[in-house]
């Protein structure tokens, strides 16, 4: 069996659903259920004996030691994190607690467990840390995409906390020989994406007749990957990645934010037109830029393709259509996550533009 952390969040829940749908072995899913964790994402595996959900914190050493001793996983996949850049600008405490201290505690618990395994199980054990392209900082227009040996230059409290966790993971391999793997992935999108992030926020606001808040000039560039492609990359790295290595994962899909918002508006115009016949583009509003906003991310995913034969299956056109369709088909899920806490966040971040 494997231990997954943060498996009630956006990417983690997609990973759990895909893993079990693909006939994967049983897993323990440890999640603190912060505002971003949502058991509704896992409704499809409720009652599946292969899915053991444990509410709890990756910083809780006693709980980690108990879970590892009880379930004896052959691998740990660490998704648990505070993940939203804008929240890290408002306050970074939780980011340091989970992304840095939590990862440290998880590494230490894993090391203690791993050291006590018989030699063959020790050799097979893997600790896979899910990280981000944001650790590399920002690219100038036309500069080569981030390869694995790119300098690490995080610019936001979030990316600094993720870079710190990546360094800890690297050190636990170098010093303690823990068999770790790290993936640094670009921007994901798809089902179960919490509507504080660009793509789901734009879909949800558009349908609610609210402004579509584009930061600054909207010419910032991100590389977008459909979430199930990220999940298949993680499965492949877990299966065949070389311990101690990092693998960059991306979709070869660089787009400006404004182009993303236009695409969403055009799809909604087609699939769910406004009653007044106008385009959803009329709702686009330029708002103040994000402080320290990284201008461009781009991933060079040739290493994972060359060494492990992984490539994304979705193009941006197919992935974004599926995503918009999913939000149109799941209004109850959207309503469910729009709690009082969600409304407080939107009011604090966007004020009048919300
Ligand atoms: P998310 O915010 O949707 O989910 C995070 C999950 O972790 C939630 O279920 C939350 O309850 C849980 N969690 C938070 N703190 C915890 C703690 N202390 N102990 C246990 N569980 C805790 O995030 P996501 O977008 O699914 O991202 C998952 C991972 O992938 C993160 O590590 C993130 O840095 C990384 N990543 C995300 C993207 C992206 O585009 N979303 C891209 C690359 C990498
Ligand atoms: O690159 C991978 C990272 O992608 C992950 O590590 C993070 O966890 C994930 O949140 C994401 O970070 P970004 O900051 O790139 O994603 P976000 O959806 O917050 O913003 C995408 C772009 O859209 C960014 O340039 C900011 C802009 N934006 C975002 C929001 C929420 C807007 O213009 N308006 C908005 O309201």
């Amino acid at each position: 069996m494997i231990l997954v952390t943060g498996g009630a969040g956006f990417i983690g829940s997609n990973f759990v659903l895909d893993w079990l749908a693909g006939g994967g072995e049983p897993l323990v899913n440890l999640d603190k259920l912060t505002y971003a964790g949502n058991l509704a994402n896992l409704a499809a595996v409720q009652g599946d004996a292969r899915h053991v959900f444990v509410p709890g914190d990756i910083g809780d050493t006693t709980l980690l030691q108990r879970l590892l001793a009880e379930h004896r996983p052959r691998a740990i996949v660490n998704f648990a994190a505070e993940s939203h850049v804008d929240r890290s600008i408002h306050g970074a405490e939780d980011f340091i607690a989970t992304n840095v201290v939590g990862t440290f505690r998880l590494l230490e618990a894993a090391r203690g467990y791993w050291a006590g395994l018989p030699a063959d199980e020790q050799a097979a054990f893997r600790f896979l840390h899910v990280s981000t392209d944001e650790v590399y900082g920002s690219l100038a227009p036309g500069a080569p995409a981030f390869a694995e040996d790119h300098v690490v230059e995080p610019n936001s409290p979030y990316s600094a906390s993720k870079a710190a966790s990546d360094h800890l993971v690297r050190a636990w391999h170098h010093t303690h020989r823990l068999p770790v793997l790290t993936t640094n992935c670009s921007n994901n999108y798809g089902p179960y994406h919490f509507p504080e992030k660009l793509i789901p926020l734009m879909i949800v606001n558009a349908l609610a007749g609210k402004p579509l808040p584009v930061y600054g000039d909207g010419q910032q560039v991100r590389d977008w990957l459909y979430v199930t492609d990220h999940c298949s990359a993680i499965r492949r790295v877990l299966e065949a990645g070389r311990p101690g290595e990092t693998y960059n994962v991306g979709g070869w899909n660089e787009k400006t934010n404004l182009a993303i918002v236009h695409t969403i508006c055009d799809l909604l115009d087609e699939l769910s037109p406004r009653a007044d016949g106008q385009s959803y583009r009329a709702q686009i509003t330029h708002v103040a830029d994000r402080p320290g906003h990284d201008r461009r991310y781009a991933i060079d995913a040739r290493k994972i393709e060359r060494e492990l034969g992984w490539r994304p299956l979705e193009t941006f056109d197919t992935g974004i259509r599926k995503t918009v369709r999913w939000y149109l088909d799941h209004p109850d899920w959207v309503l469910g996550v729009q709690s009082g806490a969600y409304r407080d966040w939107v009011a604090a971040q966007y004020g009048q533009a919300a």
Side-chain angles (χ1 to χ4, degrees):
M1 83 127 59
I2 67 168
L3 171 63
V4 171
T5 71
F10 164 47
I11 305 173
S13 62
N14 275 285
F15 180 85
V16 167
L17 296 176
D18 279 10
W19 179 271
L20 294 176
E25 70 218 83
L27 60 85
V28 174
N29 182 353
L30 171 66
D31 195 296
K32 189 178 172 183
L33 295 178
T34 67
Y35 78 95
N38 184 358
L39 286 176
N41 300 359
L42 298 162
V45 293
Q46 208 188 5
D48 186 331
R50 294 172 303 157
H51 180 235
V52 179
F53 183 80
V54 179
D57 193 323
I58 59 165
D60 182 343
T61 300
T62 310
L63 173 63
L64 291 173
Q65 287 172 340
R66 179 172 69 70
L67 288 177
L68 291 168
E70 200 176 306
H71 296 284
R72 301 185 59 79
R74 68 165 177 92
I76 297 174
V77 184
N78 183 30
F79 292 96
E82 289 294 333
S83 69
H84 191 32
V85 173
D86 293 321
R87 285 183 190 257
S88 80
I89 296 168
H90 284 252
E93 188 85 34
D94 290 345
F95 290 74
I96 305 303
T98 286
N99 301 0
V100 186
V101 180
T103 303
F104 157 71
R105 299 246 171 87
L106 188 61
L107 279 165
E108 274 297 78
R111 181 166 77 94
Y113 163 70
W114 170 76
L117 291 175
D120 57 334
E121 290 178 35
Q122 252 189 26
F125 183 80
R126 295 289 181 270
F127 182 106
L128 192 153
H129 179 60
V130 180
S131 192
T132 169
D133 60 358
E134 298 202 13
V135 300
Y136 297 120
S138 188
L139 285 170
F146 301 127
E148 287 77 1
D149 59 357
H150 194 280
V151 61
V152 172
E153 279 178 338
N155 290 320
S156 72
Y158 161 70
S159 55
S161 70
K162 289 297 289 187
S165 68
D166 293 9
H167 288 318
L168 292 173
V169 169
R170 175 189 155 84
W172 260 241
H173 176 70
H174 190 81
T175 300
H176 299 301
R177 310 316 300 167
L178 187 70
V180 305
L181 300 155
T182 300
T183 54
N184 293 87
C185 187
S186 60
N187 286 60
N188 285 213
Y189 66 102
Y192 306 113
H193 204 181
F194 193 78
E196 64 183 354
K197 308 280 170 69
L198 179 74
I199 288 182
L201 181 83
M202 294 297 160
I203 300 171
V204 166
N205 275 16
L207 292 171
K210 293 182 177 169
L212 307 181
V214 172
Y215 296 163
D217 63 5
Q219 294 307 309
Q220 302 81 7
V221 172
R222 298 290 183 266
D223 165 40
W224 293 93
L225 181 70
Y226 192 66
V227 62
T228 54
D229 280 326
H230 187 189
C231 295
S232 73
I234 291 169
R235 289 198 301 274
R236 186 66 191 134
V237 171
L238 190 59
E239 183 177 59
R242 286 181 290 133
E245 292 292 314
T246 65
Y247 296 89
N248 284 358
V249 183
W252 303 105
N253 255 317
E254 284 186 59
K255 307 268 183 215
T256 65
N257 293 338
L258 205 52
I260 295 285
V261 177
H262 285 160
T263 302
I264 290 169
C265 290
D266 296 350
L267 277 167
L268 286 173
D269 288 342
E270 176 196 329
L271 299 171
S272 183
R274 273 173 43 153
D276 64 2
Q278 277 206 62
S279 169
Y280 287 97
R281 288 190 186 205
Q283 290 166 232
I284 294 173
T285 315
H286 287 266
V287 299
D289 209 350
R290 171 185 278 175
H293 201 170
D294 284 337
R295 198 68 183 164
R296 174 176 168 240
Y297 304 141
I299 276 281
D300 178 344
R302 282 178 296 178
K303 177 177 173 182
I304 187 171
E305 179 175 358
R306 189 176 61 246
E307 294 191 7
L308 305 181
W310 175 86
R311 274 193 74 81
L313 291 179
E314 300 288 345
T315 64
F316 188 70
D317 287 349
T318 59
I320 193 69
R321 183 171 282 274
K322 280 188 187 177
T323 303
V324 170
R325 187 78 272 163
W326 189 88
Y327 281 87
L328 286 170
D329 291 345
H330 293 84
D332 291 349
W333 183 89
V334 173
L335 268 181
V337 298
Q338 289 176 324
S339 64
Y342 174 79
R343 286 195 295 276
D344 291 348
W345 161 252
V346 170
Q349 172 68 3
Y350 301 101
Q352 288 307 313

